[in-house]
Amino acid sequence: MRREQRRQRVQDVRRRLARDGPPWTRDRAGDFDTVTLPERDCDALRDLLIAEGAETVVEIGLAYGSSALAVGEALVAVDAPRPLHLIIDPLQATEWSNVGWELLRSAGLDTTARLVAQPSSLALPQLVGQGLVADAAFVDGSHRFHEVFVDLYFLRKIVRPGGIIVLDDDNWPSVRTAGHYFEVNMGWRVVPGAFDGGTVDPGTGQARLRALRLPSPSFEPDFGRFQPF
């Protein structure tokens, strides 16, 4: 199948998901709209990954699959020789009835995507040990501060110098605070304009998504250097 046809197949699944919702949802009112990344944010994520020429992407959290489909579309568009979309979600089968993974399969993305059914705190250090190098990561797992911090700690060892890490729900204080440590102490920098026009929290005025670029070359701060965050 040609690249244009593969991309059209992904776009068709994305369009149906945004229009009709998933074929299955949890028994919670409005759960899909509450949980899933809005289509315009997915488009912005896709465009950012295409602009970066991303070939290997790590994603934490799958749920209904909207962001994963956007990542998959980006990898199809970049058309790298060996694309890899590594998705970590220990609850995809038990909490989400595999609905996100089945949508990826219907889009033909299971040839480049791999689902790891482990907590990210266990899966990420294994990837470090395996020597995985990624161009980008999308973080939408647990929103507890300590778990977001652990995700970012290991992802900085996986994402290449100069690569990007995108945080979903950055308007949550727990998520924003975890990311802020790495900005203040590790030289991560906000990618300007990455999500202009994206979803904004009406209460705080903060954007839902934020992209951070890792420094190149990477570095470890001096033992005695610490900036409060």
Side-chain angles (χ1 to χ4, degrees), residues 133-189:
V133 177
D135 301 297
F138 181 71
V139 182
D140 187 22
S142 168
H143 289 16
R144 300 181 184 97
F145 165 80
H146 57 282
E147 291 175 319
V148 180
F149 187 91
V150 168
D151 287 346
L152 298 181
Y153 172 82
F154 285 111
L155 283 171
R156 67 177 286 267
K157 298 174 179 288
I158 294 170
V159 175
R160 62 170 173 79
I164 58 170
I165 295 177
V166 177
L167 292 167
D168 187 24
D169 292 320
D170 187 65
N171 51 305
W172 285 46
S174 54
V175 177
R176 172 60 69 97
T177 303
H180 194 51
Y181 165 82
F182 292 92
E183 290 182 78
V184 172
N185 288 279
M186 301 303 302
W188 296 15
R189 295 290 177 262

Side-chain angles (χ1 to χ4, degrees), residues 9-226:
R9 180 177 175 182
V10 179
Q11 289 174 338
D12 289 345
V13 175
R14 288 192 58 209
R15 191 175 300 111
R16 286 197 301 271
L17 179 61
R19 183 189 64 220
D20 303 330
W24 174 93
T25 62
R26 297 185 299 180
D27 189 18
R28 304 179 187 180
D31 192 58
F32 174 69
D33 291 333
T34 300
V35 169
T36 201
L37 190 67
E39 186 176 20
R40 61 177 174 173
D41 294 315
C42 289
D43 288 345
L45 175 63
R46 174 203 60 198
D47 294 345
L48 176 63
L49 294 176
I50 292 173
E52 292 288 315
E55 301 181 19
T56 299
V57 180
V58 176
E59 181 170 8
I60 299 177
L62 177 55
Y64 293 114
S66 61
S67 59
L69 288 165
V71 172
E73 184 186 344
L75 293 176
V76 170
V78 170
D79 199 25
R82 289 181 296 277
L84 175 61
H85 181 192
L86 202 150
I87 307 165
I88 300 170
D89 190 339
L91 303 176
Q92 177 59 199
T94 57
E95 180 76 8
W96 303 100
S97 195
N98 280 321
V99 63
W101 182 247
E102 290 303 322
L103 284 166
L104 287 178
R105 290 185 61 189
S106 70
L109 294 173
D110 54 320
T111 58
T112 56
R114 180 176 138 212
L115 178 60
V116 179
Q118 286 185 306
S120 56
S121 58
L122 299 179
L124 290 173
Q126 292 177 26
L127 297 178
V128 173
Q130 293 166 11
L132 179 73
V133 177
D135 301 297
F138 181 71
V139 182
D140 187 22
S142 168
H143 289 16
R144 300 181 184 97
F145 165 80
H146 57 282
E147 291 175 319
V148 180
F149 187 91
V150 168
D151 287 346
L152 298 181
Y153 172 82
F154 285 111
L155 283 171
R156 67 177 286 267
K157 298 174 179 288
I158 294 170
V159 175
R160 62 170 173 79
I164 58 170
I165 295 177
V166 177
L167 292 167
D168 187 24
D169 292 320
D170 187 65
N171 51 305
W172 285 46
S174 54
V175 177
R176 172 60 69 97
T177 303
H180 194 51
Y181 165 82
F182 292 92
E183 290 182 78
V184 172
N185 288 279
M186 301 303 302
W188 296 15
R189 295 290 177 262
V190 175
V191 178
F195 298 111
D196 287 354
T199 303
V200 174
D201 185 330
T204 65
Q206 293 179 343
R208 173 169 176 160
L209 295 179
R210 188 163 59 131
L212 297 168
R213 188 175 301 281
L214 278 60
S216 182
S218 59
F219 69 93
E220 292 290 346
D222 293 337
F223 232 41
R225 179 184 176 274
F226 174 78

